[in-house]
């Protein structure tokens, strides 16, 4: 029989093992705890959404919709008609869809939600930019006040501080103004870039027709030179938008969160209005330096069929946070057993099984052999596991009702009663 062809993961989609996931769990847990402390409750939306959610929400002229989505037709079981569906490329539009579908955004509703999960974009894979990537994020609905813009940025800053990354990131902020301000600004960009159209990259010439703000995000060197001289959004702000932005700056200053006003910063997705921001990493990320970004999107809920609802949020890349942790900080230590139980005979191995089960019921990480190996082999496993404690159990220990508990780091030994309650107390 011919040898079966080796199977591989899909390009840009990675397998993760325990050695990687200890750090992932740490990042996710810090994020979850921080979101909860800021009053956000968790939401989980499907990975697969109707493509229309993102065409209407993100914008048909964005790179995400134009060329980055994993989209396909899903045929109906009843009449064979097809609906275009896609793997979610981002989560804000999907969260808004879910909130509307389940009646969460009624008049005068105030909702705060967060999420953790995978997103998908068909991009050229590189460090910090994978085709399946993972994000943390939060969204606040019903809050028009600049204080919620500040709270969302403070939440990100808290996560970065608790991860030990705040000192190696920089917060950039700007304002795109209201819808009318953004429209005037877009017109000014079209006028400016049309005068330089022959010097633009192919992608930016397309963006000039579909979404001129995206030109400002271009990494093409020729485009970057033109962007330097382009109009800036702060010059087009209405009085109300300017007052809002000034209040955001004052709020960040009051909290002692450092920031830089970057008048060239835009977010290319169509739904952003007023405040936009990015947290940029200074180590470990190469060209993909943005670790978290977001802003205000007061028109998105209405675009997706709801009432006019002010909203603000952000998303951050878990892969990029981990790259920074590896570059500038010590990743968390892997999870190791609190105790390793060694059985020396049949009676001891049976007691190991009972004690291990009883301790695990109490949430204690226990190392134990299930293969009936020699005492020497079990002791080697205890050393390799990096367990904090170990003990040997045999007929003699069972008869005496006592164990000798060894601290692995020092070799110190102390007596403990042979029962789950006493062992659990020693492990804590």
């Amino acid at each position: 029989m011919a040898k079966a062809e080796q199977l591989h993961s899909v390009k840009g989609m990675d397998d993760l093992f325990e050695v990687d996931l200890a750090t992932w769990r740490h990042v996710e847990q810090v994020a979850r705890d921080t979101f909860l402390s800021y009053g956000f409750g968790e939401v989980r939306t499907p990975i697969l959404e109707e493509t229309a959610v993102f065409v209407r929400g993100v914008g048909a002229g964005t790179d995400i919709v134009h060329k980055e989505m994993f989209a396909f037709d899903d045929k109906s079981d009843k009449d064979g008609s097809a609906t275009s569906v896609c793997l979610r490329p981002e989560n804000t539009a999907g969260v808004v869809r879910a909130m509307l579908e389940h009646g969460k955004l009624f008049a005068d509703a105030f909702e705060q939600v967060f999420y953790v999960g995978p997103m998908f974009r068909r991009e050229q894979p590189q460090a910090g930019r994978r085709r399946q990537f993972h994000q943390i994020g939060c969204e606040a609905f019903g809050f028009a006040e600049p204080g919620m813009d500040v709270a969302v940025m403070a939440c990100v800053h808290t996560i970065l501080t608790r991860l030990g990354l705040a000192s190696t990131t920089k917060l950039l902020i700007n304002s795109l103004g209201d819808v009318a301000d953004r429209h005037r600004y877009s017109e000014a960009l079209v006028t400016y870039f049309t005068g330089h159209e022959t010097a633009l990259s192919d992608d930016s010439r397309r963006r000039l027709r579909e979404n001129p703000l995206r030109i400002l995000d271009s990494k093409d060197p020729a485009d970057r030179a033109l962007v330097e001289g382009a109009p800036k959004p702060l010059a087009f702000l209405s009085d109300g938008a300017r007052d809002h932005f000034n209040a955001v700056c004052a709020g960040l200053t009051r909290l002692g969160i450092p920031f830089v006003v970057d008048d060239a910063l835009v977010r290319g997705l169509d739904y952003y209005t007023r405040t936009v921001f990015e947290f940029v990493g200074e180590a470990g990320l190469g060209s993909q330096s943005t670790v978290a970004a977001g802003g205000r999107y007061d028109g998105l809920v209405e675009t997706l069929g709801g009432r006019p609802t002010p909203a603000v949020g952000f998303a951050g890349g878990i892969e990029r946070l981990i790259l920074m942790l590896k570059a500038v900080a010590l990743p968390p230590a892997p999870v190791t057993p609190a105790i390793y139980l060694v059985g020396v005979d049949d009676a001891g191995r049976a007691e190991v099984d009972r004690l291990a089960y009883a301790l695990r019921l109490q949430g204690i990480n226990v190392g134990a052999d299930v293969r009936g190996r020699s005492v020497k082999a079990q002791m080697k496993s205890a050393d390799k596991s990096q367990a904090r404690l170990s003990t040997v159990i045999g007929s003699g220990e069972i008869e005496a009702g006592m164990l000798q508990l060894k601290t692995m780091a020092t070799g110190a030994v102390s007596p403990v009663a042979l029962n789950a309650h006493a062992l659990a107390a020693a492990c804590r």
Side-chain angles (χ1 to χ4, degrees):
M1 181 181 294
K3 184 178 180 181
E5 182 181 352
Q6 177 67 50
L7 299 175
H8 299 278
S9 64
V10 176
K11 180 180 180 181
M13 300 186 181
D14 303 319
D15 300 310
L16 299 169
F17 297 93
E18 178 60 28
V19 66
D20 312 299
L21 292 173
T23 306
W24 280 70
R25 281 194 298 271
H26 173 62
V27 171
E28 291 177 355
Q29 192 58 55
V30 166
R32 289 177 191 277
D33 290 346
T34 303
F35 287 137
L36 291 169
S37 74
Y38 275 80
F40 292 88
E42 188 171 6
V43 62
R44 298 188 185 186
T45 61
I47 290 173
L48 198 65
E49 292 272 7
E50 289 192 15
T51 304
V53 170
F54 302 103
V55 173
R56 289 170 59 185
V58 175
T62 61
D63 282 359
I64 289 176
V65 170
H66 183 75
K67 61 183 181 181
E68 294 176 0
M69 289 200 302
F70 288 94
F72 57 93
D73 286 341
D74 179 32
K75 290 186 178 180
S76 168
D77 293 334
K78 294 182 178 180
D79 59 11
S81 61
T83 300
S84 179
V85 297
C86 68
L87 296 172
R88 61 187 186 191
E90 60 98 52
N91 211 25
T92 298
V95 167
V96 172
R97 189 274 310 151
M99 301 294 282
L100 288 172
E101 184 172 345
H102 296 278
K104 301 289 187 182
L105 299 182
F106 51 86
D108 300 322
F110 296 92
E111 293 283 345
Q112 295 176 238
V113 297
F114 77 88
Y115 57 85
V116 178
M119 314 294 159
F120 304 84
R121 295 185 192 177
R122 183 182 279 110
E123 299 182 288
Q124 184 59 38
Q126 53 185 294
R129 188 184 289 275
R130 312 301 293 160
R131 289 185 167 185
Q132 176 176 314
F133 58 101
H134 299 76
Q135 288 187 334
I136 56 173
C138 69
E139 319 290 349
F141 300 98
F143 302 88
E145 299 79 9
M148 185 52 77
D149 304 37
V150 174
V152 168
M153 284 182 272
C155 182
V156 185
H157 190 264
T158 301
I159 292 170
L160 294 172
T161 299
R162 294 183 62 195
L163 290 173
L165 298 176
S167 63
T168 58
T169 55
K170 180 167 58 177
L171 171 58
L172 308 178
I173 67 171
N174 198 13
S175 177
L176 298 178
D178 297 320
V179 173
D181 304 338
R182 179 168 169 151
H183 182 68
R184 289 196 305 273
Y185 178 52
S186 293
E187 288 181 336
L189 288 178
V190 169
T191 299
Y192 171 78
F193 284 118
T194 298
H196 302 279
E197 186 169 359
T198 57
L200 290 173
S201 65
D202 290 342
D203 268 347
S204 287
R205 281 195 291 273
R206 174 182 59 79
R207 291 165 178 160
L208 181 59
R209 297 185 298 273
E210 298 176 349
N211 189 353
L213 268 70
R214 288 293 292 164
I215 299 175
L216 304 179
D217 282 337
S218 173
K219 301 300 186 290
D220 183 277
D223 292 345
R224 295 309 308 163
L226 293 174
V227 166
E228 290 295 323
K232 303 298 188 286
L234 290 179
F236 295 82
L237 297 186
S238 63
D239 289 343
R242 187 171 298 280
D243 289 345
H244 185 102
F245 185 62
N246 289 339
V248 169
C249 295
L252 291 169
T253 300
R254 184 164 55 249
L255 296 182
I257 297 174
F259 64 92
V260 174
V261 175
D262 181 353
D263 61 5
L265 175 65
V266 297
R267 303 296 301 158
L269 306 186
D270 284 357
Y271 53 63
Y272 281 113
T273 56
R274 292 201 172 186
T275 307
V276 290
F277 64 87
E278 291 186 0
F279 283 83
V280 178
E282 299 176 344
L285 296 176
S287 63
Q288 306 303 324
S289 59
T290 301
V291 294
R296 181 163 284 280
Y297 49 95
D298 292 344
L300 180 58
V301 174
E302 188 175 8
T303 297
L304 292 180
R307 296 179 175 86
T309 304
V312 60
F314 91 97
I318 294 178
E319 285 89 344
R320 295 186 186 184
L321 290 169
I322 289 171
L323 286 173
M324 285 189 67
L325 279 172
K326 290 179 177 178
V328 305
L330 288 175
V335 177
T336 57
I339 187 169
Y340 199 101
L341 305 178
V342 176
V344 301
D345 52 27
D346 289 343
R349 283 188 284 270
E351 187 63 24
V352 163
D353 290 343
R354 285 190 288 269
L355 282 173
Y357 175 68
L359 291 173
R360 287 165 179 160
L361 282 175
Q362 299 181 63
I364 293 171
N365 189 327
V366 180
D369 181 68
V370 296
R371 290 179 285 171
R373 295 180 301 160
S374 68
V375 173
K376 181 178 180 181
Q378 291 180 69
M379 294 302 295
K380 287 179 67 175
S381 291
D383 287 333
K384 187 176 180 180
S385 75
Q386 300 183 45
R388 182 165 56 87
L389 303 168
S390 70
T391 190
V392 172
I393 306 174
S395 299
E397 285 77 17
I398 294 171
E399 185 176 345
M402 293 294 295
L403 299 174
Q404 296 299 310
L405 201 59
K406 179 181 178 181
T407 300
M408 299 292 281
T410 65
V413 175
S414 57
V416 62
L418 198 166
N419 61 71
H421 178 76
L423 277 178
C427 290
R428 292 192 172 100

